[in-house]
Amino acid sequence: VLHSFVAANGRQPAPWSSADADAFVNLVKQQFPDKVNADNEAYFAQFAKIAAGDLSPMCAAIGGIVAQEVMKASSGKFSPIYQWLYFDALECLPADKSGLTEEVCKPIGSRYDGQIAVFGKDFQKKLGMQKYFVVGAGAIGCEL
């Protein structure tokens, strides 16, 4: 459905745009009328509102899973995952989403536009002011 939206509009749904979310939900209803009901319609709208965003920690986690599965497949030592991976993190969004508007979440030409599209400029500013030092330890090759 997201590909259909992009094909029809030439862009992804704007972050936190109610108009784009409504158009996306209408596309879902057209393409999958038996899948949309009162219980899950809000999830489709939420997906449309955050579809333009990306979060570095999620990309890193999924990239790590993919890298490990490639190592498994190429080494032949363990069996790769042979099923679907469902990753859901809607609980990362704030409970009160009223402060997340199209204006607050629009791209500003920053390297953090993906995060701003999901959480807004204020959250990104708070995140940028943190003074933590994080050290990572990679484990690629431990299977071999």
Side-chain angles (χ1 to χ4, degrees):
V1 177
L2 185 58
H3 294 292
S4 299
F5 185 93
V6 172
N9 297 291
R11 60 175 175 77
Q12 289 185 342
W16 295 94
S17 168
S18 295
D20 283 356
D22 292 341
F24 182 83
V25 170
N26 287 335
L27 274 175
V28 174
K29 287 178 181 177
Q30 288 173 6
Q31 293 182 15
F32 302 101
D34 57 329
K35 300 289 184 191
V36 181
N37 56 44
D39 295 333
N40 64 9
E41 188 171 332
Y43 288 109
F44 291 116
Q46 185 69 58
F47 175 80
K49 290 178 179 180
I50 60 175
D54 59 37
L55 304 175
S56 299
M58 286 188 191
C59 293
I62 293 172
I65 292 168
V66 170
Q68 182 167 342
E69 296 308 305
V70 168
M71 294 297 289
K72 287 179 190 177
S74 61
S75 69
K77 191 166 184 176
F78 299 104
S79 298
I81 295 174
Y82 188 68
Q83 56 201 5
W84 288 95
L85 173 67
Y86 176 75
F87 183 75
D88 177 6
L90 286 175
E91 64 274 4
C92 294
L93 294 172
D96 180 20
K97 299 177 191 75
S98 62
L100 296 172
T101 62
E102 191 171 357
E103 182 62 31
V104 171
C105 297
K106 72 178 181 180
I108 59 172
S110 165
R111 67 187 270 193
Y112 302 111
D113 279 348
Q115 290 177 179
I116 291 170
V118 177
F119 296 119
K121 294 176 192 173
D122 296 335
F123 180 83
Q124 186 59 42
K125 184 177 180 183
K126 288 178 190 175
L127 194 61
M129 294 178 69
Q130 299 299 311
K131 303 294 181 204
Y132 293 107
F133 181 65
V134 180
V135 177
I140 297 226
C142 66
E143 298 92 1
L144 302 177

